[in-house]
PDB file of all heavy atoms in Angstrom:
ATOM      1  N   ARG A 188     -10.612  21.287  15.580  1.00  0.00           N
ATOM      2  CA  ARG A 188      -9.982  20.301  14.633  1.00  0.00           C
ATOM      3  C   ARG A 188     -11.072  19.425  14.086  1.00  0.00           C
ATOM      4  O   ARG A 188     -12.074  19.125  14.742  1.00  0.00           O
ATOM      5  CB  ARG A 188      -8.935  19.496  15.393  1.00  0.00           C
ATOM      6  CG  ARG A 188      -8.240  18.413  14.570  1.00  0.00           C
ATOM      7  CD  ARG A 188      -7.390  17.544  15.472  1.00  0.00           C
ATOM      8  NE  ARG A 188      -6.784  16.433  14.773  1.00  0.00           N
ATOM      9  CZ  ARG A 188      -5.545  16.391  14.290  1.00  0.00           C
ATOM     10  NH1 ARG A 188      -4.785  17.452  14.529  1.00  0.00           N
ATOM     11  NH2 ARG A 188      -5.040  15.353  13.695  1.00  0.00           N
ATOM     12  N   SER A 189     -10.837  18.902  12.900  1.00  0.00           N
ATOM     13  CA  SER A 189     -11.690  17.850  12.385  1.00  0.00           C
ATOM     14  C   SER A 189     -10.814  16.735  11.777  1.00  0.00           C
ATOM     15  O   SER A 189      -9.735  17.032  11.226  1.00  0.00           O
ATOM     16  CB  SER A 189     -12.705  18.341  11.324  1.00  0.00           C
ATOM     17  OG  SER A 189     -12.074  18.595  10.098  1.00  0.00           O
ATOM     18  N   THR A 190     -11.254  15.532  11.888  1.00  0.00           N
ATOM     19  CA  THR A 190     -10.624  14.376  11.254  1.00  0.00           C
ATOM     20  C   THR A 190     -11.639  13.648  10.434  1.00  0.00           C
ATOM     21  O   THR A 190     -12.741  13.377  10.898  1.00  0.00           O
ATOM     22  CB  THR A 190     -10.042  13.425  12.315  1.00  0.00           C
ATOM     23  OG1 THR A 190      -9.170  14.158  13.190  1.00  0.00           O
ATOM     24  CG2 THR A 190      -9.258  12.331  11.641  1.00  0.00           C
ATOM     25  N   THR A 191     -11.277  13.316   9.222  1.00  0.00           N
ATOM     26  CA  THR A 191     -12.262  12.760   8.278  1.00  0.00           C
ATOM     27  C   THR A 191     -11.714  11.432   7.661  1.00  0.00           C
ATOM     28  O   THR A 191     -10.541  11.378   7.318  1.00  0.00           O
ATOM     29  CB  THR A 191     -12.527  13.720   7.110  1.00  0.00           C
ATOM     30  OG1 THR A 191     -13.092  14.918   7.656  1.00  0.00           O
ATOM     31  CG2 THR A 191     -13.494  13.138   6.111  1.00  0.00           C
ATOM     32  N   PHE A 192     -12.599  10.464   7.549  1.00  0.00           N
ATOM     33  CA  PHE A 192     -12.323   9.246   6.810  1.00  0.00           C
ATOM     34  C   PHE A 192     -13.271   9.210   5.623  1.00  0.00           C
ATOM     35  O   PHE A 192     -14.489   9.384   5.792  1.00  0.00           O
ATOM     36  CB  PHE A 192     -12.543   8.017   7.689  1.00  0.00           C
ATOM     37  CG  PHE A 192     -12.465   6.685   6.954  1.00  0.00           C
ATOM     38  CD1 PHE A 192     -11.352   6.409   6.139  1.00  0.00           C
ATOM     39  CD2 PHE A 192     -13.455   5.755   7.075  1.00  0.00           C
ATOM     40  CE1 PHE A 192     -11.309   5.202   5.436  1.00  0.00           C
ATOM     41  CE2 PHE A 192     -13.405   4.550   6.384  1.00  0.00           C
ATOM     42  CZ  PHE A 192     -12.310   4.269   5.583  1.00  0.00           C
ATOM     43  N   LEU A 193     -12.735   9.101   4.428  1.00  0.00           N
ATOM     44  CA  LEU A 193     -13.530   9.201   3.233  1.00  0.00           C
ATOM     45  C   LEU A 193     -13.246   8.003   2.305  1.00  0.00           C
ATOM     46  O   LEU A 193     -12.066   7.617   2.160  1.00  0.00           O
ATOM     47  CB  LEU A 193     -13.229  10.500   2.490  1.00  0.00           C
ATOM     48  CG  LEU A 193     -14.025  10.878   1.230  1.00  0.00           C
ATOM     49  CD1 LEU A 193     -14.088  12.423   1.129  1.00  0.00           C
ATOM     50  CD2 LEU A 193     -13.348  10.294  -0.042  1.00  0.00           C
ATOM     51  N   CYS A 194     -14.228   7.450   1.692  1.00  0.00           N
ATOM     52  CA  CYS A 194     -14.098   6.342   0.743  1.00  0.00           C
ATOM     53  C   CYS A 194     -14.743   6.827  -0.575  1.00  0.00           C
ATOM     54  O   CYS A 194     -15.921   7.166  -0.600  1.00  0.00           O
ATOM     55  CB  CYS A 194     -14.767   5.082   1.221  1.00  0.00           C
ATOM     56  SG  CYS A 194     -14.581   3.690   0.074  1.00  0.00           S
ATOM     57  N   ARG A 203     -18.415   9.691   3.590  1.00  0.00           N
ATOM     58  CA  ARG A 203     -17.434  10.376   4.445  1.00  0.00           C
ATOM     59  C   ARG A 203     -17.949  10.387   5.884  1.00  0.00           C
ATOM     60  O   ARG A 203     -19.156  10.556   6.133  1.00  0.00           O
ATOM     61  CB  ARG A 203     -17.293  11.803   3.920  1.00  0.00           C
ATOM     62  CG  ARG A 203     -16.156  12.546   4.512  1.00  0.00           C
ATOM     63  CD  ARG A 203     -16.051  13.916   3.839  1.00  0.00           C
ATOM     64  NE  ARG A 203     -17.110  14.809   4.280  1.00  0.00           N
ATOM     65  CZ  ARG A 203     -17.395  15.983   3.697  1.00  0.00           C
ATOM     66  NH1 ARG A 203     -16.758  16.368   2.648  1.00  0.00           N
ATOM     67  NH2 ARG A 203     -18.405  16.719   4.146  1.00  0.00           N
ATOM     68  N   LEU A 204     -17.022  10.298   6.827  1.00  0.00           N
ATOM     69  CA  LEU A 204     -17.307  10.490   8.255  1.00  0.00           C
ATOM     70  C   LEU A 204     -16.383  11.626   8.715  1.00  0.00           C
ATOM     71  O   LEU A 204     -15.175  11.556   8.559  1.00  0.00           O
ATOM     72  CB  LEU A 204     -16.975   9.223   9.016  1.00  0.00           C
ATOM     73  CG  LEU A 204     -18.010   8.069   8.935  1.00  0.00           C
ATOM     74  CD1 LEU A 204     -17.438   6.847   9.608  1.00  0.00           C
ATOM     75  CD2 LEU A 204     -19.319   8.455   9.629  1.00  0.00           C
ATOM     76  N   ASP A 205     -16.999  12.649   9.317  1.00  0.00           N
ATOM     77  CA  ASP A 205     -16.270  13.783   9.860  1.00  0.00           C
ATOM     78  C   ASP A 205     -16.386  13.825  11.352  1.00  0.00           C
ATOM     79  O   ASP A 205     -17.511  13.928  11.876  1.00  0.00           O
ATOM     80  CB  ASP A 205     -16.792  15.096   9.260  1.00  0.00           C
ATOM     81  CG  ASP A 205     -16.481  15.270   7.787  1.00  0.00           C
ATOM     82  OD1 ASP A 205     -15.377  15.766   7.524  1.00  0.00           O
ATOM     83  OD2 ASP A 205     -17.342  14.918   6.954  1.00  0.00           O
ATOM     84  N   ARG A 206     -15.298  13.755  12.048  1.00  0.00           N
ATOM     85  CA  ARG A 206     -15.244  13.976  13.487  1.00  0.00           C
ATOM     86  C   ARG A 206     -14.770  15.403  13.766  1.00  0.00           C
ATOM     87  O   ARG A 206     -13.664  15.765  13.374  1.00  0.00           O
ATOM     88  CB  ARG A 206     -14.309  12.975  14.134  1.00  0.00           C
ATOM     89  CG  ARG A 206     -13.898  13.311  15.574  1.00  0.00           C
ATOM     90  CD  ARG A 206     -15.004  13.108  16.550  1.00  0.00           C
ATOM     91  NE  ARG A 206     -15.257  11.667  16.802  1.00  0.00           N
ATOM     92  CZ  ARG A 206     -16.366  11.226  17.407  1.00  0.00           C
ATOM     93  NH1 ARG A 206     -17.309  12.086  17.812  1.00  0.00           N
ATOM     94  NH2 ARG A 206     -16.519   9.923  17.605  1.00  0.00           N
ATOM     95  N   VAL A 267     -10.972  16.603  -4.555  1.00  0.00           N
ATOM     96  CA  VAL A 267      -9.778  15.772  -4.471  1.00  0.00           C
ATOM     97  C   VAL A 267     -10.135  14.341  -4.762  1.00  0.00           C
ATOM     98  O   VAL A 267      -9.468  13.686  -5.565  1.00  0.00           O
ATOM     99  CB  VAL A 267      -9.064  15.915  -3.096  1.00  0.00           C
ATOM    100  CG1 VAL A 267      -7.975  14.869  -2.948  1.00  0.00           C
ATOM    101  CG2 VAL A 267      -8.506  17.319  -2.923  1.00  0.00           C
ATOM    102  N   PRO A 268     -11.171  13.758  -4.193  1.00  0.00           N
ATOM    103  CA  PRO A 268     -11.497  12.347  -4.523  1.00  0.00           C
ATOM    104  C   PRO A 268     -11.846  12.116  -5.982  1.00  0.00           C
ATOM    105  O   PRO A 268     -11.354  11.170  -6.582  1.00  0.00           O
ATOM    106  CB  PRO A 268     -12.715  12.045  -3.589  1.00  0.00           C
ATOM    107  CG  PRO A 268     -12.604  13.032  -2.490  1.00  0.00           C
ATOM    108  CD  PRO A 268     -12.030  14.278  -3.115  1.00  0.00           C
ATOM    109  N   LEU A 280      -9.141   5.126  -0.339  1.00  0.00           N
ATOM    110  CA  LEU A 280      -9.281   5.606   1.066  1.00  0.00           C
ATOM    111  C   LEU A 280      -8.535   6.920   1.234  1.00  0.00           C
ATOM    112  O   LEU A 280      -7.430   7.068   0.780  1.00  0.00           O
ATOM    113  CB  LEU A 280      -8.788   4.568   2.035  1.00  0.00           C
ATOM    114  CG  LEU A 280      -9.472   3.204   2.018  1.00  0.00           C
ATOM    115  CD1 LEU A 280      -8.811   2.282   3.046  1.00  0.00           C
ATOM    116  CD2 LEU A 280     -10.954   3.323   2.300  1.00  0.00           C
ATOM    117  N   PHE A 281      -9.221   7.831   1.944  1.00  0.00           N
ATOM    118  CA  PHE A 281      -8.621   9.130   2.214  1.00  0.00           C
ATOM    119  C   PHE A 281      -8.742   9.447   3.702  1.00  0.00           C
ATOM    120  O   PHE A 281      -9.744   9.101   4.362  1.00  0.00           O
ATOM    121  CB  PHE A 281      -9.382  10.274   1.462  1.00  0.00           C
ATOM    122  CG  PHE A 281      -9.393  10.135  -0.048  1.00  0.00           C
ATOM    123  CD1 PHE A 281     -10.244   9.201  -0.659  1.00  0.00           C
ATOM    124  CD2 PHE A 281      -8.603  10.941  -0.821  1.00  0.00           C
ATOM    125  CE1 PHE A 281     -10.288   9.100  -2.032  1.00  0.00           C
ATOM    126  CE2 PHE A 281      -8.662  10.827  -2.221  1.00  0.00           C
ATOM    127  CZ  PHE A 281      -9.462   9.894  -2.809  1.00  0.00           C
ATOM    128  N   GLU A 282      -7.722  10.048   4.252  1.00  0.00           N
ATOM    129  CA  GLU A 282      -7.771  10.542   5.614  1.00  0.00           C
ATOM    130  C   GLU A 282      -7.429  12.020   5.556  1.00  0.00           C
ATOM    131  O   GLU A 282      -6.444  12.424   4.928  1.00  0.00           O
ATOM    132  CB  GLU A 282      -6.699   9.792   6.457  1.00  0.00           C
ATOM    133  CG  GLU A 282      -7.044   9.832   7.944  1.00  0.00           C
ATOM    134  CD  GLU A 282      -6.064   8.903   8.719  1.00  0.00           C
ATOM    135  OE1 GLU A 282      -4.899   8.789   8.303  1.00  0.00           O
ATOM    136  OE2 GLU A 282      -6.477   8.348   9.715  1.00  0.00           O
ATOM    137  N   ILE A 283      -8.272  12.862   6.123  1.00  0.00           N
ATOM    138  CA  ILE A 283      -8.133  14.298   6.070  1.00  0.00           C
ATOM    139  C   ILE A 283      -8.195  14.883   7.465  1.00  0.00           C
ATOM    140  O   ILE A 283      -9.094  14.565   8.227  1.00  0.00           O
ATOM    141  CB  ILE A 283      -9.222  14.935   5.153  1.00  0.00           C
ATOM    142  CG1 ILE A 283      -9.325  14.262   3.820  1.00  0.00           C
ATOM    143  CG2 ILE A 283      -8.946  16.444   4.978  1.00  0.00           C
ATOM    144  CD1 ILE A 283     -10.625  13.454   3.689  1.00  0.00           C
ATOM    145  N   THR A 284      -7.249  15.778   7.790  1.00  0.00           N
ATOM    146  CA  THR A 284      -7.334  16.528   9.017  1.00  0.00           C
ATOM    147  C   THR A 284      -7.392  17.998   8.702  1.00  0.00           C
ATOM    148  O   THR A 284      -6.709  18.462   7.787  1.00  0.00           O
ATOM    149  CB  THR A 284      -6.150  16.239   9.968  1.00  0.00           C
ATOM    150  OG1 THR A 284      -4.911  16.515   9.310  1.00  0.00           O
ATOM    151  CG2 THR A 284      -6.099  14.752  10.390  1.00  0.00           C
ATOM    152  N   ARG A 285      -8.191  18.731   9.472  1.00  0.00           N
ATOM    153  CA  ARG A 285      -8.286  20.194   9.301  1.00  0.00           C
ATOM    154  C   ARG A 285      -7.952  20.859  10.634  1.00  0.00           C
ATOM    155  O   ARG A 285      -8.533  20.490  11.697  1.00  0.00           O
ATOM    156  CB  ARG A 285      -9.680  20.578   8.861  1.00  0.00           C
ATOM    157  CG  ARG A 285     -10.149  20.026   7.557  1.00  0.00           C
ATOM    158  CD  ARG A 285     -11.547  20.529   7.239  1.00  0.00           C
ATOM    159  NE  ARG A 285     -12.106  19.871   6.065  1.00  0.00           N
ATOM    160  CZ  ARG A 285     -12.896  18.788   6.106  1.00  0.00           C
ATOM    161  NH1 ARG A 285     -13.163  18.236   7.283  1.00  0.00           N
ATOM    162  NH2 ARG A 285     -13.379  18.248   5.021  1.00  0.00           N
ATOM    163  N   THR A 289      -5.013  24.788   7.554  1.00  0.00           N
ATOM    164  CA  THR A 289      -4.481  23.637   6.801  1.00  0.00           C
ATOM    165  C   THR A 289      -5.432  22.468   6.737  1.00  0.00           C
ATOM    166  O   THR A 289      -5.943  22.064   7.776  1.00  0.00           O
ATOM    167  CB  THR A 289      -3.133  23.227   7.402  1.00  0.00           C
ATOM    168  OG1 THR A 289      -2.243  24.331   7.334  1.00  0.00           O
ATOM    169  CG2 THR A 289      -2.531  22.070   6.606  1.00  0.00           C
ATOM    170  N   GLU A 290      -5.579  21.924   5.534  1.00  0.00           N
ATOM    171  CA  GLU A 290      -6.293  20.701   5.293  1.00  0.00           C
ATOM    172  C   GLU A 290      -5.259  19.693   4.797  1.00  0.00           C
ATOM    173  O   GLU A 290      -4.692  19.849   3.727  1.00  0.00           O
ATOM    174  CB  GLU A 290      -7.358  20.957   4.246  1.00  0.00           C
ATOM    175  CG  GLU A 290      -8.350  19.823   4.044  1.00  0.00           C
ATOM    176  CD  GLU A 290      -9.435  20.245   3.084  1.00  0.00           C
ATOM    177  OE1 GLU A 290      -9.118  20.466   1.898  1.00  0.00           O
ATOM    178  OE2 GLU A 290     -10.609  20.337   3.475  1.00  0.00           O
ATOM    179  N   ARG A 291      -4.963  18.688   5.609  1.00  0.00           N
ATOM    180  CA  ARG A 291      -3.918  17.690   5.304  1.00  0.00           C
ATOM    181  C   ARG A 291      -4.569  16.420   4.784  1.00  0.00           C
ATOM    182  O   ARG A 291      -5.412  15.804   5.461  1.00  0.00           O
ATOM    183  CB  ARG A 291      -3.094  17.394   6.536  1.00  0.00           C
ATOM    184  CG  ARG A 291      -1.872  16.474   6.275  1.00  0.00           C
ATOM    185  CD  ARG A 291      -1.017  16.345   7.518  1.00  0.00           C
ATOM    186  NE  ARG A 291       0.079  15.434   7.342  1.00  0.00           N
ATOM    187  CZ  ARG A 291       1.261  15.738   6.787  1.00  0.00           C
ATOM    188  NH1 ARG A 291       1.479  16.988   6.395  1.00  0.00           N
ATOM    189  NH2 ARG A 291       2.220  14.858   6.669  1.00  0.00           N
ATOM    190  N   TRP A 292      -4.168  16.035   3.600  1.00  0.00           N
ATOM    191  CA  TRP A 292      -4.749  14.875   2.892  1.00  0.00           C
ATOM    192  C   TRP A 292      -3.778  13.709   2.892  1.00  0.00           C
ATOM    193  O   TRP A 292      -2.557  13.883   2.685  1.00  0.00           O
ATOM    194  CB  TRP A 292      -5.094  15.212   1.446  1.00  0.00           C
ATOM    195  CG  TRP A 292      -6.281  16.083   1.314  1.00  0.00           C
ATOM    196  CD1 TRP A 292      -6.360  17.422   1.463  1.00  0.00           C
ATOM    197  CD2 TRP A 292      -7.625  15.654   0.936  1.00  0.00           C
ATOM    198  NE1 TRP A 292      -7.627  17.849   1.219  1.00  0.00           N
ATOM    199  CE2 TRP A 292      -8.422  16.794   0.878  1.00  0.00           C
ATOM    200  CE3 TRP A 292      -8.170  14.404   0.647  1.00  0.00           C
ATOM    201  CZ2 TRP A 292      -9.786  16.745   0.605  1.00  0.00           C
ATOM    202  CZ3 TRP A 292      -9.529  14.358   0.303  1.00  0.00           C
ATOM    203  CH2 TRP A 292     -10.316  15.509   0.286  1.00  0.00           C
ATOM    204  N   ARG A 293      -4.261  12.514   3.138  1.00  0.00           N
ATOM    205  CA  ARG A 293      -3.510  11.284   3.033  1.00  0.00           C
ATOM    206  C   ARG A 293      -4.311  10.341   2.118  1.00  0.00           C
ATOM    207  O   ARG A 293      -5.436   9.957   2.504  1.00  0.00           O
ATOM    208  CB  ARG A 293      -3.273  10.680   4.394  1.00  0.00           C
ATOM    209  CG  ARG A 293      -2.450   9.392   4.385  1.00  0.00           C
ATOM    210  CD  ARG A 293      -2.407   8.789   5.790  1.00  0.00           C
ATOM    211  NE  ARG A 293      -1.547   7.626   5.876  1.00  0.00           N
ATOM    212  CZ  ARG A 293      -1.682   6.635   6.763  1.00  0.00           C
ATOM    213  NH1 ARG A 293      -2.677   6.744   7.670  1.00  0.00           N
ATOM    214  NH2 ARG A 293      -0.907   5.598   6.797  1.00  0.00           N
ATOM    215  N   ILE A 294      -3.831  10.026   0.945  1.00  0.00           N
ATOM    216  CA  ILE A 294      -4.532   9.121   0.041  1.00  0.00           C
ATOM    217  C   ILE A 294      -3.830   7.759   0.019  1.00  0.00           C
ATOM    218  O   ILE A 294      -2.632   7.715  -0.206  1.00  0.00           O
ATOM    219  CB  ILE A 294      -4.562   9.722  -1.389  1.00  0.00           C
ATOM    220  CG1 ILE A 294      -5.121  11.121  -1.384  1.00  0.00           C
ATOM    221  CG2 ILE A 294      -5.383   8.840  -2.334  1.00  0.00           C
ATOM    222  CD1 ILE A 294      -5.088  11.816  -2.749  1.00  0.00           C
ATOM    223  N   THR A 333      -6.989   7.005  12.325  1.00  0.00           N
ATOM    224  CA  THR A 333      -6.879   7.641  13.633  1.00  0.00           C
ATOM    225  C   THR A 333      -8.219   8.090  14.160  1.00  0.00           C
ATOM    226  O   THR A 333      -8.392   8.267  15.327  1.00  0.00           O
ATOM    227  CB  THR A 333      -5.919   8.862  13.557  1.00  0.00           C
ATOM    228  OG1 THR A 333      -6.430   9.784  12.620  1.00  0.00           O
ATOM    229  CG2 THR A 333      -4.519   8.425  13.192  1.00  0.00           C
ATOM    230  N   LEU A 334      -9.168   8.227  13.233  1.00  0.00           N
ATOM    231  CA  LEU A 334     -10.525   8.642  13.634  1.00  0.00           C
ATOM    232  C   LEU A 334     -11.155   7.657  14.574  1.00  0.00           C
ATOM    233  O   LEU A 334     -11.931   7.988  15.423  1.00  0.00           O
ATOM    234  CB  LEU A 334     -11.414   8.797  12.381  1.00  0.00           C
ATOM    235  CG  LEU A 334     -12.848   9.238  12.564  1.00  0.00           C
ATOM    236  CD1 LEU A 334     -12.911  10.619  13.164  1.00  0.00           C
ATOM    237  CD2 LEU A 334     -13.594   9.160  11.259  1.00  0.00           C
TER     238      LEU A 334
END
Side-chain angles (χ1 to χ4, degrees):
R188 177 189 176 98
S189 76
T190 305
T191 299
F192 172 51
L193 184 152
C194 181
R203 190 176 73 192
L204 284 170
D205 290 275
R206 164 73 73 193
V267 172
L280 299 179
F281 300 77
E282 202 173 32
I283 309 110
T284 58
R285 301 181 187 93
T289 300
E290 190 174 65
R291 184 174 178 85
W292 287 79
R293 183 186 183 205
I294 306 176
T333 57
L334 180 63

